[in-house]
Amino acid sequence: NKILTTFNYSSFLEALQTDWINYGLGFWNEEAYKYGYAEVFIEHELAGLRDAKSNILAPAIYQAISPFIDDVALVKKDNKFGFITTKGIEIVPTIYEVANEAFDMYALENEEDFTGTKVALVGQNNQYGLLDVKENSVLIPLVYDQISCIVGDIFNVKTNDAYFLVNAQNRKIIEVGSPTPFEFESPDLFFSKTAGSKKHKYYSVKGVYLGEFAEDSLEAMPNQYYYAKPSKSQQKIVVVDDKGEIITSDIDQILTFYNYQSFAFR
């Protein structure tokens, strides 16, 4: 084929038999092409890593090696957890009593922030936090009774029997604690459920308290304004500004316009 000869290959087989595509793996396995092929092998009931040529990348010293996500895998040794790369490098030592598999984190307000940042929820002594896996640095300190990712770089944490929202820098998004975990309502709202009420306490993505409204009743408007549709407990349309203040509450009909800075109402 003339195309092959332009790249100095005499045959397709010769093209496959090259390191740069891991002997053909790169054509159908993007992870193997990008990060290098690593295969788990078992020896004396322990797991290790070897490459496509059976060279040992990591000796068989682990109780378990999870599937690789890009170039990172969770490993278990002596009942503790850490992380290893496809090169067999232990980038996080096996010191954590609890850990989940690494995942890519993005910023809720700007998805380009934290691009390529791999994080994992980890725990020691029944206290939990967030770890930057590739840098082996703690982002959210291990001081919480519970932690879970709610969306993007926002996390539910529990301490002293109350839930709070914090970001990946451990800054509180919502200062007021809730007896129940916070939940996310697309595209940019958080809420907590109120016991004995069908209304939820709503907060903006910046942590501003917007009020108590029925679930799925808030609609976004320009400049972080919202309007709440009528419900059983609310006969009229209510408009709330970016500070959480009600600017009008007796609207019968409202019209909003895409990309406009104003709205019409009756």
Side-chain angles (χ1 to χ4, degrees):
N1 188 299
K2 291 182 179 180
I3 294 177
L4 286 171
T5 59
T6 61
F7 292 95
N8 296 317
Y9 296 119
S10 60
S11 67
F12 186 61
L13 177 60
E14 184 183 354
L16 288 176
Q17 292 174 330
T18 55
D19 287 327
W20 73 275
I21 55 167
N22 283 285
Y23 303 94
L25 281 172
F27 277 116
W28 66 80
N29 185 332
E30 186 178 1
E31 289 190 2
Y33 172 64
K34 282 185 175 181
Y35 309 113
Y37 177 75
E39 177 187 43
V40 176
F41 70 93
I42 304 298
E43 189 175 273
H44 304 303
E45 298 184 351
L46 293 175
L49 286 181
R50 59 191 177 197
D51 64 15
K53 296 181 179 179
S54 294
N55 297 314
I56 302 299
L57 300 170
I61 58 174
Y62 298 103
Q63 292 167 274
I65 301 177
S66 72
F68 280 93
I69 299 175
D70 295 337
D71 60 339
V72 173
L74 179 68
V75 293
K76 183 180 181 182
K77 182 174 67 175
D78 299 328
N79 293 320
K80 298 288 182 70
F81 295 91
F83 292 89
I84 196 171
T85 70
T86 53
K87 303 297 183 184
I89 301 170
E90 198 173 277
I91 53 175
V92 176
T94 50
I95 60 173
Y96 294 102
E97 295 170 358
V98 178
N100 68 351
E101 293 185 355
F103 60 94
D104 289 319
M105 184 174 65
Y106 66 92
L108 181 59
E109 292 193 78
N110 183 2
E111 291 195 15
E112 293 183 0
D113 292 349
F114 301 117
T115 298
T117 301
K118 260 192 181 17
V119 297
L121 304 177
V122 294
Q124 285 178 316
N125 301 318
N126 293 319
Q127 297 287 284
Y128 304 92
L130 181 72
L131 181 73
D132 183 330
V133 172
K134 290 191 174 181
E135 297 295 327
N136 188 23
S137 62
V138 174
L139 298 175
I140 298 177
L142 281 67
V143 297
Y144 296 106
D145 301 325
Q146 292 180 19
I147 185 171
S148 60
C149 182
I150 182 170
V151 64
D153 59 336
I154 309 299
F155 296 81
N156 254 317
V157 294
K158 185 181 182 182
T159 182
N160 298 325
D161 294 322
Y163 291 90
F164 298 88
L165 279 190
V166 301
N167 65 12
Q169 287 84 27
N170 198 37
R171 182 178 65 82
K172 281 186 178 177
I173 303 299
I174 297 177
E175 295 282 348
V176 180
S178 167
T180 59
F182 288 94
E183 299 181 43
F184 179 67
E185 188 175 296
S186 183
D188 58 358
L189 291 169
F190 298 110
F191 69 86
S192 63
K193 294 180 179 179
T194 305
S197 173
K198 292 186 177 180
K199 289 185 175 181
H200 301 331
K201 292 183 177 179
Y202 274 93
Y203 300 83
S204 74
V205 70
K206 297 185 182 298
V208 175
Y209 178 61
L210 301 174
E212 291 193 28
F213 301 99
E215 187 174 0
D216 296 323
S217 65
L218 286 184
E219 295 286 345
M221 299 169 65
N223 302 316
Q224 289 82 54
Y225 279 53
Y226 296 87
Y227 74 88
K229 295 176 288 188
S231 63
K232 287 184 178 180
S233 58
Q234 175 190 307
Q235 301 302 314
K236 301 276 189 172
I237 296 171
V238 174
V239 176
V240 182
D241 68 13
D242 60 341
K243 298 178 180 63
E245 298 175 353
I246 294 176
I247 61 173
T248 182
S249 59
D250 59 352
I251 293 178
D252 296 305
Q253 184 181 6
I254 190 169
L255 298 175
T256 60
F257 311 100
Y258 181 71
N259 279 342
Y260 277 66
Q261 303 300 302
S262 58
F263 61 92
F265 66 92
R266 179 172 64 83

